[in-house]
Amino acid sequence: MPRPGRPGPGPARPAPPAQRPHSTSGQPQAARPENRSAPQIQLIPASAAGALDAADEAVDLLLDSGRAPGDILVLTTGEHHPWAAHELSFGEAAYWAQHEAGDDVFFAGAAATERVKPRPVVIVAVNGEGGDGVAGALSGARERAGALLIVCGDPQRINTVLGAGV
């Protein structure tokens, strides 16, 4: 099985219209625990059906730019990411032990937001129907993102939930 966040065999996917992470004035680029309450927010426009692919592309860009795999947490608001579904098939204990190890990209459902530890980068794939679940997922993700929160989904819906233009 390919490493989490890396596409498997097959044709390369075109990159989504993603922005490269960048620093805004006054915000440090390095992840520091005291910065957790104010991560930089980046939006990657995607349909609900394309949100997982957009999140995978964001992971690839982060890894290719030198970000450590253990710095990245990916949350999904709908169906589990295929990696999470595969790993959960071996049991909850083994799955959560990987999270505790913290040495690779970790994928979880947004319902587990309270259980996951903060990481410098949190990516949310808004691949579910919406409602209060998305608002709760984005709020929890914002609390757990140290330096950068990347949200993949419908920009209008996400901006409404976040309460500001991202």
Side-chain angles (χ1 to χ4, degrees), residues 123-152:
I123 301 171
V124 179
V126 183
N127 63 332
E129 288 304 312
D132 294 337
V134 171
L138 292 178
S139 175
R142 184 185 270 177
E143 291 173 12
R144 279 153 187 78
L148 179 62
L149 171 61
I150 299 173
V151 185
C152 305

Side-chain angles (χ1 to χ4, degrees), residues 33 35-42 55 71-77 99 106 108-126 132-152 158 161-162 166:
N35 193 36
R36 254 190 246 146
S37 63
Q40 176 186 347
I41 299 173
Q42 180 182 341
D71 284 356
I72 304 169
L73 169 66
V74 179
L75 300 172
T76 56
T77 63
H99 173 63
F106 190 77
T113 302
E114 293 298 319
R115 186 168 179 181
V116 295
K117 292 180 181 176
R119 291 202 179 186
V121 179
V122 176
I123 301 171
V124 179
V126 183
D132 294 337
V134 171
L138 292 178
S139 175
R142 184 185 270 177
E143 291 173 12
R144 279 153 187 78
L148 179 62
L149 171 61
I150 299 173
V151 185
C152 305
I158 293 165
V161 171
L162 290 176
V166 235

Side-chain angles (χ1 to χ4, degrees), residues 4-5 56 59 72-76 80-81 83-84 95 105-109:
D56 283 343
V59 168
I72 304 169
L73 169 66
V74 179
L75 300 172
T76 56
H80 281 295
H81 186 279
W83 180 88
Y95 171 76
V105 178
F106 190 77
F107 297 82

